[in-house]
Amino acid sequence: MKNILVTGGAGFIGSNFVRYLLKNEINIHIYNLDALTYAGSLENLDNLPDPSRHTFIHGDICNRELIDQLFRQYAIDTVVHFAAESHVDRSIFEPDAFIQTNVFGTFTLLEAAKRAWLENTPPIPDVRFHHISTDEVFGSLKEDDPAFREDTPYAPNSPYAASKAASDHLVRAYGHTYGLPYTLTNCSNNYGPYQFPEKLIPLMILNALEGKPLPVYGDGKQVRDWLYVEDHCEAILLVLRQAPLGESYNIGGGNQPTNLEIVENLCEILDEVVPHSPYKPHRQLIRFVADRPGHDRRYAMDIGKISTQLGWKPRHSLAEGLLATVKWYLEHEEWIAAIRQRGDFKAWMQRNYAQRGEEK
């Protein structure tokens, strides 16, 4: 790896990966392409380690001319593809953007990589297209079902999950049909620093700090596998360094709390680290709201393959990760203020609460 194109590198996971890669790979240069839609922000890229090895490009992965130019101009040898619309709630009410970005955007990148790497004589050696996907492509598990494996059949249940499943299939098809060198990872729910406050954990933290309701869908007993974002970044880098081409790996945090347990744990942490809060105990702010349509009941990831083949396991327990995340948001008021001042964030908040419905 020398010249790495990171797509969506101003978003939550992407910006954390950019930091992790600059810190751990001293001989690479990152070309960071991001459209800076509502969940991407230049504030996420402040104070990077060794910023001289990072070039930001404001652009859309669906722009074929731009993508072709980046491959030529910067001799891209590695693509790490994070860029995606990723919020299930929004995909239910606004699916168009998910098809455009997640399906057509991935297709545009694959075509550019094929042209740049495979249509030369001879083809460019030592290249790799790494695609970041989600556990949601596998559908929903019942209480006693075994965890998702890499060979679990796809059964997406939301427009978001379906668009990611389509992009996964495209990546595999380009590997099989054209010989494009690729790897693919499916991750569970990420959390940690720089996460946009539409997602459960940052939304609960910021609402609790202001004494706002903590809206929990349905009965709150939906089960998720929570992965601390730095552990995810470590796993991706390990795949880039060591994984055979054409392989896919599940990446998870090794836990299965309910959503309600996550919210209650956050409340307990806030009670401890903000002892003089006027809203203590914070769990009094929990409100149950109407469930969203087609809400998957349970996800769980079997990480046996990546553990056995590459020696990876998550370093952070759920308790450690949640505490670190709460402390990060408490210590980064300027980042929070910058996000909240954006008009797209305010518009999202209005739509989000309207869609969640009234308290039950």
Side-chain angles (χ1 to χ4, degrees):
M1 296 184 295
K2 293 182 180 179
N3 299 313
I4 303 177
L5 176 63
V6 175
T7 70
F12 164 46
I13 307 176
S15 63
N16 275 281
F17 181 73
V18 165
R19 292 177 188 279
Y20 191 85
L21 196 59
L22 289 172
K23 186 168 60 175
N24 290 279
E25 290 286 327
I26 62 174
N27 295 317
I28 56 93
H29 192 104
I30 295 174
Y31 298 92
N32 183 350
L33 175 66
D34 199 294
L36 295 181
T37 55
Y38 78 101
S41 171
L42 292 178
E43 285 87 359
N44 293 352
L45 300 171
D46 287 343
N47 304 312
L48 291 176
D50 198 356
S52 65
R53 293 189 291 118
H54 174 263
T55 300
F56 180 77
I57 302 107
H58 184 196
D60 191 334
I61 60 171
C62 297
N63 185 335
R64 174 173 175 169
E65 182 178 347
L66 171 62
I67 302 301
D68 284 339
Q69 176 189 338
L70 295 179
F71 272 85
R72 290 193 305 268
Q73 183 175 352
Y74 299 121
I76 299 298
D77 56 58
T78 305
V79 174
V80 185
H81 178 32
F82 291 97
E85 297 286 349
S86 65
H87 191 44
V88 175
D89 289 11
R90 287 199 314 108
S91 81
I92 293 170
F93 296 96
E94 303 170 9
D96 306 47
F98 289 74
I99 304 304
Q100 180 71 11
T101 298
N102 299 354
V103 182
F104 185 73
T106 300
F107 164 72
T108 303
L109 288 165
L110 289 166
E111 278 288 292
K114 177 168 71 74
R115 285 190 291 271
W117 295 344
L118 304 182
E119 295 179 1
N120 285 278
T121 306
I124 306 298
D126 302 321
V127 293
R128 182 183 301 242
F129 189 107
H130 182 72
H131 180 59
I132 311 295
S133 190
T134 172
D135 54 2
E136 297 192 38
V137 299
F138 299 120
S140 182
L141 293 170
K142 297 178 182 178
E143 183 176 350
D144 298 325
D145 285 344
F148 298 134
R149 292 164 44 94
E150 287 78 5
D151 57 2
T152 298
Y154 276 31
N157 289 324
S158 69
Y160 161 62
S163 69
K164 289 299 292 183
S167 67
D168 293 6
H169 292 321
L170 279 172
V171 172
R172 286 193 174 93
Y174 270 67
H176 181 81
T177 302
Y178 305 110
L180 187 76
Y182 80 91
T183 43
L184 190 152
T185 49
N186 295 83
C187 68
S188 60
N189 286 39
N190 278 226
Y191 69 101
Y194 299 102
Q195 189 169 27
F196 187 77
E198 70 180 351
K199 298 299 179 75
L200 178 68
I201 288 176
L203 180 65
M204 296 299 126
I205 293 171
L206 299 185
N207 277 13
L209 290 173
E210 297 183 357
K212 295 180 180 179
L214 307 182
V216 175
Y217 278 135
D219 60 7
K221 294 183 180 179
Q222 303 85 4
V223 172
R224 299 293 182 262
D225 180 323
W226 293 92
L227 174 64
Y228 191 62
V229 67
E230 186 175 285
D231 291 337
H232 187 193
C233 294
E234 181 183 37
I236 294 169
L237 182 53
L238 196 61
V239 169
L240 291 172
R241 285 172 170 169
Q242 299 184 20
L245 295 173
E247 291 288 346
S248 65
Y249 297 91
N250 285 351
I251 305 173
N255 53 71
Q256 292 187 56
T258 66
N259 285 349
L260 181 58
E261 287 172 331
I262 288 289
V263 177
E264 290 174 340
N265 288 343
L266 290 171
C267 289
E268 291 172 3
I269 293 170
L270 287 164
D271 287 348
E272 183 174 341
V273 300
V274 192
H276 303 298
S277 169
Y279 312 114
K280 184 179 175 181
H282 291 89
R283 69 167 53 207
Q284 69 178 322
L285 300 172
I286 294 174
R287 302 290 186 272
F288 292 94
V289 300
D291 209 349
R292 73 181 177 208
H295 200 171
D296 287 344
R297 196 64 173 172
R298 172 175 169 250
Y299 306 143
M301 294 293 263
D302 183 333
I303 61 172
K305 181 178 178 180
I306 192 170
S307 298
T308 300
Q309 293 190 6
L310 304 183
W312 177 86
K313 290 183 179 179
R315 295 182 184 273
H316 295 80
S317 69
L318 182 60
E320 292 168 338
L322 289 177
L323 177 60
T325 302
V326 169
K327 288 184 175 179
W328 187 89
Y329 281 94
L330 288 173
E331 294 166 0
H332 288 79
E333 293 181 358
E334 291 184 2
W335 180 87
I336 295 169
I339 295 297
R340 284 178 163 169
Q341 287 303 310
R342 291 166 44 181
D344 50 5
F345 173 73
K346 295 176 181 178
W348 173 83
M349 288 293 288
Q350 292 174 350
R351 289 198 307 273
N352 180 61
Y353 278 102
Q355 291 163 5
R356 281 179 181 264
E358 298 296 325
E359 296 176 16
K360 292 203 301 182

